[in-house]
Amino acid sequence: MAAETKTAGTKTGSGIAMRGAGYYSAHTTGAKTVIDAATELVLEAGRDIKLDNPETAFGIADYGCADGGTSIDLHRAVIADIRRREPGRPISLTYTDLPGNDFSALFKRLQGQLPMDPIGLSNFDRLFPMASGTSFYRQIVPSGTLAVGFSATAMHWMSTLPSRITGHVHSVGAKGAEYDAFRAQSLKDWETILLHRAAELRPGGWLVMANFCVDEQGHYLGHTGGVCMFDQYERHWRGLFETGAITRTEYDRATFQQHYRTPEECAAPFRDPNSAVSRAGLELVRSFTRVTPCPYATAFQRDSDPAGFAKSYIPTLRSWSESTFFGALDPARPLDERQSLIDRYYDSYEADVAARPEGHGMDYVHCFMQIRKRRDA
Ligand SMILES: C[S@@+](CC[C@H](N)C(=O)[O-])C[C@H]1O[C@@H](n2cnc3c(N)ncnc32)[C@H](O)[C@@H]1O
């Protein structure tokens, strides 16, 4: 595949972007499995909503939706469930992501204009799908209008990068003051997210979230007992530096603007009755952790095809990590040079997995939460 095609759709320089043109959903079957596992929690939340006025819209939001492919089945199920109870109820569905997201791919999907889904959500009457390129670190929908807010695999992206990390690319490899800076910013970000959602929710409304976490066993994405994925990211990036392909500054600059909270940290604002989150009326109803096995590693255990495994596995890593490494490269380099460096980076990771496949895999580790806004709030 030509270098230009391989990086198409990446929003360069932002540091946070899924690959566009539907690439994200096509290469992240694990993320869809996670959302499928959250569907029952969302249905349960939806059934608890009572709206008196038949013209009031049942407001749903999907925070950090990417191209919408991984959550469309969930939304179909939720809309159909509301329709069974209330056939005439208007429903507004607000998809949200950062401004650089490929909203065009999302719109095509919703209107049934992508070959893999010729219907999308176009068969539902009185459904009003819309999108907002507003960060979830701000209020996105008007106060008191949201019935159910949903978010999967998005809120580990931080509002700002608190620090560079010496000798690593992710906060899971940070130590001392650098680790503390990530943790502190992430806790502040969590409170900001919750307070904005508290404003958006109507009394009695619900949030359902599946966020990446560090679980009770210390496991996190790509680190559940085998090779640690983030150590591999760092190793191959360092490889480019050690061969002189990238500069020291470029090596240092590659830092994921991410942090994984623990379930305890996620629950802390709800445990304190005097916290701003509790005072805003939010209550934690249910929380549990779940490991979703990497579908590519599972297929490898079955097929024993190392090259095939590497070829299918690396694109899923690339779908969400490429913007971080691309953004670390000196923008003074010509675009095609940056693209070929990024191709070389992932090619080296792929060759490594093909040569030594055992232990590689990106198991997902999530904290699922159901949160409710008190009816008297
Ligand atoms: C890994 S994708 C998850 C997509 C989808 N929810 C899923 O589970 O498959 C993370 C998404 O979160 C978005 N995101 C990151 N930071 C965000 C922010 N501050 N506000 C809104 N979306 C954000 C990214 O742009 C990306 O589309």
Side-chain angles (χ1 to χ4, degrees), residues 49-374:
I49 303 289
K50 307 280 177 282
L51 301 173
D52 293 337
N53 184 338
E55 284 309 314
T56 300
F58 189 110
I60 307 172
D62 185 337
Y63 301 98
C65 60
D67 60 24
T70 47
S71 65
I72 196 158
D73 285 340
L74 175 144
H75 292 302
R76 282 188 184 109
V78 173
I79 295 162
D81 202 54
I82 297 169
R83 283 283 179 269
R84 272 194 287 279
R85 294 190 301 277
E86 299 188 280
R89 171 69 62 192
I91 300 171
S92 75
L93 172 51
T94 308
Y95 283 95
T96 84
D97 208 291
L98 290 171
N101 184 54
D102 188 354
F103 283 106
S104 174
L106 168 74
F107 290 138
K108 286 184 186 144
R109 186 182 297 278
L110 299 182
Q111 300 303 328
Q113 292 179 8
L114 292 184
M116 71 289 259
D117 185 353
I119 295 179
L121 297 180
S122 65
N123 56 334
F124 289 109
D125 287 334
R126 307 203 84 201
L127 169 72
F128 303 96
M130 53 196 108
S132 174
T134 305
S135 164
F136 48 61
Y137 289 109
R138 295 175 56 192
Q139 187 173 337
I140 303 174
V141 300
S143 297
T145 60
L146 184 69
V148 178
F150 172 72
S151 185
T153 314
M155 290 169 171
H156 56 291
W157 287 104
M158 306 172 81
S159 62
T160 181
L161 185 65
S163 160
R164 296 287 167 199
I165 299 171
T166 309
H168 216 285
V169 295
H170 197 279
S171 75
V172 295
K175 298 191 175 50
E178 290 175 352
Y179 176 83
D180 292 345
F182 271 83
R183 180 174 182 272
Q185 182 62 49
S186 165
L187 297 185
K188 197 165 152 211
D189 281 353
W190 182 226
E191 182 183 69
T192 304
I193 288 170
L194 291 172
L195 291 178
H196 285 311
R197 304 298 78 80
E200 293 168 345
L201 282 172
R202 57 176 53 259
W206 289 73
L207 292 174
V208 177
M209 298 176 175
N211 288 317
F212 278 147
C213 72
V214 178
D215 76 5
E216 300 80 356
Q217 279 74 46
H219 292 162
Y220 51 81
L221 181 75
H223 175 75
T224 50
V227 172
C228 175
M229 179 187 69
F230 285 108
D231 289 352
Q232 302 310 303
Y233 274 127
E234 189 281 326
R235 190 164 74 79
H236 290 284
W237 193 241
R238 184 159 32 89
L240 283 188
F241 167 59
E242 285 170 353
T243 57
I246 62 170
T247 64
R248 175 93 223 177
T249 307
E250 290 172 315
Y251 166 75
D252 288 340
R253 213 161 26 202
T255 312
F256 286 99
Q257 192 171 313
Q258 300 184 346
H259 187 73
Y260 302 149
R261 290 172 282 263
T262 64
E264 266 307 304
E265 289 167 346
C266 293
F270 304 96
R271 302 247 156 89
D272 173 4
N274 295 315
S275 74
V277 168
S278 295
R279 281 187 279 116
L282 295 189
E283 300 172 325
L284 180 59
V285 175
R286 186 184 299 169
S287 168
F288 57 92
T289 59
R290 181 183 195 272
V291 176
T292 305
C294 173
Y296 306 97
T298 305
F300 170 62
Q301 296 309 327
R302 190 188 58 224
D303 305 339
S304 305
D305 170 13
F309 168 42
K311 212 171 183 48
S312 61
Y313 176 58
I314 296 304
T316 201
L317 270 56
R318 190 167 181 159
S319 70
W320 57 270
S321 64
E322 185 182 80
S323 58
T324 294
F325 294 103
F326 201 92
L329 294 174
D330 186 345
R333 288 183 189 271
L335 182 62
D336 59 351
E337 188 181 315
R338 280 179 281 155
Q339 286 173 338
S340 61
L341 278 169
I342 291 299
D343 287 344
R344 186 169 151 190
Y345 174 61
Y346 287 100
D347 287 349
S348 121
Y349 199 156
E350 182 179 323
D352 189 26
V353 174
R356 285 169 293 277
E358 285 306 331
H360 284 277
M362 192 180 80
D363 290 347
Y364 291 75
V365 182
H366 279 87
C367 178
F368 285 63
M369 304 181 92
Q370 268 184 327
I371 296 162
R372 183 173 47 205
K373 183 170 172 178
R374 286 198 327 267

